[in-house]
Every structure is written in C-alpha cells, then in structure tokens.
Amino acid sequence: MDVFYYYNYGTAAWFALQAVPLLISPHMISTILSPEVRNITILEDYFCRSLGFALIALGVLTVLLTGSVPLTSTFADASDAGVTTDPSDPKAPYAVPTLTVTTCFHTACAFIGYTQYVRTGQSALVAGVVGYGFFAAMGLWCILFASSSGRISRKTGADKRTSGFPFSNTEADKRKAGKKGL
C-alpha cells in the first residue's frame, strides 16, 4: 500500500513542479519550446496560468480523493489504519477511480509528449515523457497489484481468473475435494 501513497504524493508533486513555471514565468516556457524568441500574447499568458492552476487543482484533488489526507471530523476516526483501495472503504470511496483517471492522464500525456518529441526533436519534451511515463507505469502497477480488484497475484504473477482449461491442477483438486459440500 505504500506504493499507492507514493504514487498519490508523487503525482501531486509532479503536477506542482509543472505548475510553478507556468504560473511564475509563462514567457520562459514559450522561450524554451518555441523555435524563435518572441513576446507571448495575452492569450498565451492566460492559458499558461490557467493550466498552472488546473494542474495544482488536479494534484490537490488526487491527494484528497484517494484518502491520502484523512478528512474526518474527529481525531478518533483518523487514528486507525490507513486507507485501502477496497471500494467499500468509507475513507476513500473514490481511490480506485481517481487512480485510474490519473493513470490514463499520465499515459496520454506521455504519448502526446513522445509524439511531439519525434515530430519536432525538442529535447525539453523528453523530461515530460520520462516523468509522465514513470507515473503511468507506477499507476498501472498500483491498479494491477495494490488495488483490491487487482487480478494479478503478487507471489506468482499469474492471473487469478484463469481456469486451467486444457490442463488440470490435480493438487488444487485434491485440496478442494474435501470442501465440496454439494
């Protein structure tokens, strides 16, 4: 479950890291990514600052909706164990959906950054591809292994939903033979 918390706080930090230059100096972003140095327009300034605020809001929502920060009214409610990714957990009912949405967002941004890098060859995009790719992989790992609905066994790496159809598992059949009551 620690990886789940690392993913949440890492995602929020990644969004904040991207938001700071967008809010402080949109001209610097334009200078880095534009082939010619020019003054930015009022519209570009507005969109840079709006994207910065949106990234901060998305990071805060990720931390809050996944239950990484307890939002309880009493101290006694917050003293018990941490949040689980179980859908019935009352502390974080939106943990898995938020995890899924942010993972899809990281994947889409990594893909867009990579295609832009291939098309333009600008090395500044590589940092975004690496960062988004890292968090996309980490989010996928959390979906597969850290969530209660994950279907992949941590111990063997096998899919838990498999039936064993053309081959039979005689050892498992022996163990289950005593349990069959019908």
Side-chain angles (χ1 to χ4, degrees):
M1 188 55 77
D2 290 335
V3 176
F4 181 66
Y5 290 121
Y6 294 146
Y7 173 79
N8 293 330
Y9 291 124
T11 294
W14 176 246
F15 289 155
L17 182 70
Q18 292 180 18
V20 167
L22 287 169
L23 292 172
I24 292 175
S25 179
H27 182 72
M28 180 182 65
I29 302 298
S30 175
T31 303
I32 291 172
L33 295 176
S34 178
E36 71 276 349
V37 178
R38 61 176 176 78
N39 288 332
I40 61 172
T41 64
I42 294 171
L43 186 64
E44 289 171 334
D45 184 50
Y46 169 76
F47 281 139
C48 280
R49 293 182 195 273
S50 295
L51 178 61
F53 285 125
L55 285 171
I56 287 176
L58 189 60
V60 169
L61 282 174
T62 298
V63 171
L64 292 179
L65 289 177
T66 55
S68 296
V69 175
L71 299 174
T72 58
S73 59
T74 63
F75 183 70
D77 292 340
S79 64
D80 56 355
V83 175
T84 64
T85 54
D86 186 25
S88 64
D89 186 5
K91 291 181 234 160
Y94 302 114
V96 174
T98 303
L99 174 67
T100 305
V101 168
T102 56
T103 300
C104 291
F105 178 77
H106 287 306
T107 304
C109 287
F111 177 75
I112 288 171
Y114 178 74
T115 57
Q116 289 294 329
Y117 170 71
V118 168
R119 191 171 63 92
T120 63
Q122 291 202 356
S123 59
L125 295 168
V126 174
V129 171
V130 169
Y132 278 121
F134 173 75
F135 284 110
M138 192 177 205
L140 181 63
W141 190 93
C142 286
I143 289 171
L144 290 177
F145 298 113
S147 67
S148 59
S149 60
R151 304 277 196 259
I152 308 297
S153 172
R154 282 189 201 173
K155 192 180 295 184
T156 64
D159 189 353
K160 295 177 188 176
R161 297 172 293 172
T162 56
S163 66
F165 167 68
F167 308 105
S168 63
N169 187 348
T170 56
E171 290 300 317
D173 292 340
K174 288 177 188 175
R175 280 186 265 137
K176 290 181 182 177
K179 294 181 183 179
K180 292 183 180 179
L182 297 175

